[in-house]
Amino acid sequence: MYLNCRVKIPDTGGNISVKTINGTPYVYIETGRTYDKEKQYNTPKRTCIGKRDHEQPAFMYPNEKFLKFFPRELLPSEKDGQFRSGCLHIGAFLVIRKIISDYKLDEIITRIIGKDAGLFLDLAAYSIITEDNAGQYYPDYAYNHALFTDNMRIYSDSKVSDFLQKVTIDQRIQFLNEWNAKRDHREKIYISYDSTNKKSQAGEIDLVELGHAKEGIETDIFNYAIAYDRSNREPLFYESYPGSIVDISQLHHTLKKAKSYGYEHVGFILDRGYFCKENIHFMDENGYDFVIMVKGMKTFVSDIVLQVRGKFEDDRKNSIRAFKVSGTTVKRKLFVTDEKERYFHIYYDDGRKARERDAFEEKIDRMGRKLKECMGESIHPRGEYAKYFDLVFWHEGLEDEKFMTGIEKNDVINKEIKLCGYFVIVTSAKMTAAEALYLYKSRDDSEKTFRGDKSYLGAHCERVYSNESVDTKIFIGFVATIIRSRMYVLLREEMGRMEKKQNYMTVPAAIKELEKIELLKGADNEYNLDYAVTATQKTILKAFDMTADNVHKQARELSSDLLRVTIEEIEAEAARRSKSERSVTL
């Protein structure tokens, strides 16, 4: 069906072509290429998007496919009243809406935020689908996506900016209280806790201070941490704190916060960055168990590894097949002043040993070459050079002291080679090496979803210029993380049930595929699905307990709502014009 209007033929850099069939010039867009094995060249795949105007060759009459490839193109007949695209993406929206409904997030947000709850949820969905959080681009997203706002109203970037400044700290606290109140606090759970830092484009934010970023550089940042329920694989609560505060110090406040939410019977799964005597003792005092990775090269740990080395690695009963490692457990005091013994779980991995030894010996070779280059110079190498090499100087201690050579310390180097392939997890509670490793590895899900906050939610940098806006964007980002975490877990579980792993079962790939489910607007102002749900989309939808029939049903409901809104807009516009005409007559 061709629309009753003309538009200029798009200039897309060579993807547009015109082919005349039976005297009619049709306009095509190239959508891809397929390789022909017999002819040994690529064949372009083209879709007709309209027909060219005979009288004005630079213009064309578009068909409904034109709206799919150029959704932001405002057609001449629609310019006065058009307020959304003729091609709306609904697939990812439907999945996100189901997760929000399952968690009752819509009810909680509506109760807390009020009339702007729809905009709040749209901003969360926007960050998940587009992997961006810049408010000025939200209207572009809203223009061609289904929305949570009443009547799918599209708000401007100024409205978004105004909204970000209106959400209060009491509303954020209320959400976290209600979200955590849903948990069964009688059940013991393990909480995985991780943190990162983020940058801000503004310098007048209270949280932003000079601190050490993960990249090892000192810059203006603020810190952000999330606690995850390892059992249910859900984010529990978040906290933001100034960039100058180091993670190891903040953990005390986090443990107190967990208790304030009612989590009494919990253990914490922590990365090695939180390992220190103060944190361990604080968890003991509060009755929290812990599972923590320790650096294998620490003296007290390496001594334990060397004591058991060669006694468990080749014993089949110590094999942990799920992770292809061997493990054993010994009881030792963690610190000299400890009153009780902890459980040290020592693991050995053949593949890890090969990688670590190769990297370590390459490091020693590189340091040796550097020392040779410096022979005869007035330098005094320190740090690891002094650790791994006996350094020889000419006229050492005198004014004309010069570096001569470095001789490898074989005993020090050989000790570290012996430690290659080993790693250690310490737990406060008694458990087997396999149980400890399963617990620690379970934080992989939370780590990936946590990294997704920066990588896939566009939240590596907060592009706002007030304290209130930063706090609100962090709040929205946390809700988006809850939704995206659920998507990650359900997709991963479904992939585990499949005989063959599929690349499209990751969150970014699934969203990309779901975005292809579209509603196209016809000449009668009614939206309809562009085409049937594909086999790949059905597989993805199955992970969320959704079917093609369910998508078709919801698409019809959306279409009905959109048609109603369009009719109301037309009637309202007619009423305004009638009122204006009567006013002129009078």
Side-chain angles (χ1 to χ4, degrees), residues 90-121:
I90 67 166
F93 167 83
L94 295 179
V95 166
I96 290 173
R97 187 168 69 172
K98 185 176 188 301
I99 293 173
I100 287 174
S101 177
D102 290 344
Y103 276 146
K104 293 183 170 50
L105 287 172
D106 49 348
E107 297 178 14
I108 298 175
I109 296 298
T110 299
R111 188 162 51 250
I112 294 171
I113 302 297
K115 64 178 182 178
D116 286 326
L119 177 58
F120 183 101
L121 294 173

Coordinates of all heavy atoms in Angstrom, one line a residue, residues 90-121:
I90 N 8.4 -2.9 19.8 CA 7.7 -3.3 21.0 C 8.2 -4.5 21.7 O 7.9 -4.8 22.8 CB 6.2 -3.5 20.7 CG1 6.1 -4.7 19.7 CG2 5.6 -2.3 20.1 CD1 4.6 -5.2 19.6
G91 N 9.1 -5.3 21.0 CA 9.5 -6.6 21.5 C 10.2 -6.5 22.9 O 9.8 -7.2 23.9
A92 N 11.3 -5.7 23.0 CA 12.0 -5.6 24.3 C 11.2 -4.9 25.3 O 11.2 -5.3 26.5 CB 13.3 -4.8 24.0
F93 N 10.3 -4.0 24.9 CA 9.4 -3.3 25.8 C 8.5 -4.4 26.5 O 8.3 -4.3 27.7 CB 8.6 -2.3 25.1 CG 7.4 -1.8 25.8 CD1 7.5 -0.8 26.8 CD2 6.1 -2.3 25.6 CE1 6.4 -0.3 27.5 CE2 5.0 -1.8 26.3 CZ 5.2 -0.8 27.3
L94 N 7.9 -5.3 25.7 CA 7.0 -6.3 26.3 C 7.7 -7.2 27.3 O 7.1 -7.5 28.3 CB 6.4 -7.2 25.2 CG 5.5 -6.4 24.1 CD1 5.0 -7.4 23.1 CD2 4.3 -5.8 24.9
V95 N 9.0 -7.6 27.0 CA 9.7 -8.4 28.0 C 10.0 -7.6 29.3 O 9.8 -8.1 30.4 CB 11.0 -8.9 27.3 CG1 12.0 -9.4 28.4 CG2 10.8 -9.9 26.3
I96 N 10.4 -6.4 29.1 CA 10.7 -5.5 30.3 C 9.5 -5.3 31.1 O 9.5 -5.3 32.3 CB 11.4 -4.2 29.8 CG1 12.8 -4.4 29.3 CG2 11.4 -3.2 31.0 CD1 13.4 -3.2 28.7
R97 N 8.3 -5.1 30.4 CA 7.1 -4.8 31.1 C 6.7 -6.1 31.9 O 6.1 -6.0 33.0 CB 6.0 -4.5 30.1 CG 4.7 -4.1 30.8 CD 3.7 -3.5 29.8 NE 3.1 -4.4 28.9 CZ 2.1 -4.1 28.0 NH1 1.6 -2.9 28.0 NH2 1.7 -5.1 27.2
K98 N 6.9 -7.3 31.4 CA 6.6 -8.5 32.1 C 7.4 -8.6 33.4 O 6.9 -9.0 34.4 CB 6.8 -9.7 31.2 CG 6.3 -11.0 31.9 CD 6.4 -12.2 31.0 CE 5.7 -13.4 31.6 NZ 6.3 -13.8 32.9
I99 N 8.7 -8.4 33.3 CA 9.6 -8.5 34.4 C 9.2 -7.5 35.5 O 9.1 -7.8 36.7 CB 11.1 -8.3 34.0 CG1 11.5 -9.4 33.1 CG2 12.0 -8.1 35.2 CD1 12.9 -9.2 32.6
I100 N 8.8 -6.2 35.0 CA 8.4 -5.2 36.0 C 7.1 -5.6 36.7 O 7.0 -5.5 37.9 CB 8.1 -3.9 35.2 CG1 9.5 -3.3 34.8 CG2 7.3 -2.9 36.0 CD1 9.4 -2.0 33.9
S101 N 6.2 -6.3 35.9 CA 4.9 -6.8 36.5 C 5.2 -7.9 37.5 O 4.6 -8.0 38.5 CB 4.0 -7.2 35.4 OG 2.8 -7.7 35.9
D102 N 6.1 -8.9 37.1 CA 6.4 -10.0 38.0 C 7.0 -9.6 39.3 O 6.6 -10.1 40.3 CB 7.4 -10.9 37.3 CG 6.8 -11.7 36.1 OD1 5.5 -11.7 36.0 OD2 7.5 -12.2 35.2
Y103 N 7.8 -8.5 39.3 CA 8.4 -8.0 40.5 C 7.5 -7.0 41.2 O 7.9 -6.5 42.3 CB 9.7 -7.3 40.1 CG 10.9 -8.2 40.1 CD1 12.0 -8.0 39.2 CD2 11.1 -9.3 40.9 CE1 13.1 -8.8 39.1 CE2 12.2 -10.2 40.8 CZ 13.2 -9.9 39.9 OH 14.3 -10.7 39.9
K104 N 6.4 -6.6 40.5 CA 5.5 -5.6 41.1 C 6.2 -4.2 41.2 O 5.9 -3.4 42.1 CB 4.9 -6.0 42.4 CG 3.9 -7.2 42.3 CD 3.3 -7.6 43.6 CE 2.1 -8.6 43.4 NZ 2.5 -9.8 42.6
L105 N 7.2 -4.0 40.4 CA 7.9 -2.8 40.4 C 7.0 -1.6 40.0 O 7.2 -0.5 40.5 CB 9.1 -2.8 39.5 CG 10.3 -3.7 39.9 CD1 11.4 -3.8 38.8 CD2 10.9 -3.0 41.2
D106 N 6.1 -1.9 39.1 CA 5.2 -0.8 38.6 C 4.3 -0.3 39.8 O 4.1 0.9 39.9 CB 4.3 -1.3 37.5 CG 3.6 -2.6 37.7 OD1 4.0 -3.3 38.7 OD2 2.7 -3.0 36.9
E107 N 3.9 -1.3 40.6 CA 3.1 -0.9 41.8 C 3.9 -0.1 42.8 O 3.4 0.9 43.4 CB 2.5 -2.1 42.5 CG 1.5 -2.9 41.6 CD 1.0 -4.2 42.3 OE1 1.2 -4.3 43.5 OE2 0.5 -5.1 41.6
I108 N 5.1 -0.6 43.1 CA 6.0 0.1 44.0 C 6.3 1.5 43.5 O 6.2 2.5 44.3 CB 7.3 -0.7 44.3 CG1 6.9 -2.1 44.9 CG2 8.2 0.1 45.2 CD1 8.1 -3.0 45.0
I109 N 6.7 1.6 42.3 CA 7.1 2.9 41.7 C 6.0 3.9 41.7 O 6.1 5.1 42.0 CB 7.8 2.8 40.3 CG1 9.1 1.9 40.4 CG2 8.1 4.1 39.7 CD1 10.2 2.6 41.2
T110 N 4.8 3.4 41.3 CA 3.6 4.3 41.2 C 3.3 4.8 42.6 O 2.9 6.0 42.8 CB 2.4 3.5 40.7 OG1 2.7 3.1 39.3 CG2 1.2 4.4 40.6
R111 N 3.4 3.9 43.6 CA 3.0 4.3 45.0 C 4.0 5.4 45.5 O 3.7 6.3 46.3 CB 3.1 3.1 45.9 CG 2.6 3.3 47.3 CD 2.2 2.0 48.0 NE 3.3 1.0 47.9 CZ 3.2 -0.1 47.2 NH1 2.1 -0.4 46.5 NH2 4.2 -1.0 47.2
I112 N 5.3 5.2 45.1 CA 6.3 6.1 45.6 C 6.5 7.4 44.7 O 6.6 8.5 45.3 CB 7.7 5.4 45.6 CG1 7.6 4.2 46.7 CG2 8.8 6.3 46.0 CD1 8.8 3.3 46.7
I113 N 6.5 7.2 43.4 CA 6.8 8.4 42.5 C 5.5 9.1 42.1 O 5.5 10.3 41.9 CB 7.5 7.9 41.2 CG1 8.8 7.2 41.6 CG2 7.8 9.0 40.3 CD1 9.8 8.0 42.3
G114 N 4.4 8.4 42.0 CA 3.2 9.1 41.7 C 2.9 9.2 40.2 O 3.2 8.2 39.5
K115 N 2.4 10.3 39.7 CA 2.0 10.5 38.3 C 3.1 10.3 37.3 O 2.9 10.0 36.2 CB 1.3 11.8 38.1 CG 2.2 13.0 38.3 CD 1.5 14.3 38.1 CE 2.4 15.5 38.2 NZ 1.7 16.8 37.9
D116 N 4.4 10.5 37.8 CA 5.5 10.4 36.8 C 6.2 9.0 36.9 O 7.3 8.8 36.4 CB 6.6 11.5 37.2 CG 6.2 12.9 36.7 OD1 5.5 12.9 35.7 OD2 6.5 13.8 37.4
A117 N 5.4 8.0 37.4 CA 6.0 6.7 37.5 C 6.3 6.1 36.1 O 7.3 5.4 35.9 CB 5.0 5.8 38.3
G118 N 5.4 6.4 35.2 CA 5.6 5.9 33.8 C 6.9 6.4 33.2 O 7.6 5.7 32.6
L119 N 7.2 7.7 33.4 CA 8.4 8.3 32.9 C 9.6 7.7 33.6 O 10.6 7.4 32.9 CB 8.4 9.8 33.1 CG 9.7 10.6 32.7 CD1 10.0 10.4 31.2 CD2 9.5 12.1 33.0
F120 N 9.5 7.4 34.9 CA 10.6 6.7 35.6 C 10.9 5.4 35.0 O 12.1 5.1 34.7 CB 10.2 6.6 37.1 CG 11.3 5.9 37.9 CD1 12.0 6.7 38.8 CD2 11.5 4.6 37.9 CE1 13.0 6.2 39.6 CE2 12.5 4.0 38.7 CZ 13.2 4.8 39.6
L121 N 9.9 4.6 34.7 CA 10.1 3.2 34.2 C 10.6 3.3 32.7 O 11.4 2.5 32.3 CB 8.8 2.4 34.2 CG 8.3 2.1 35.6 CD1 6.9 1.5 35.6 CD2 9.3 1.2 36.3

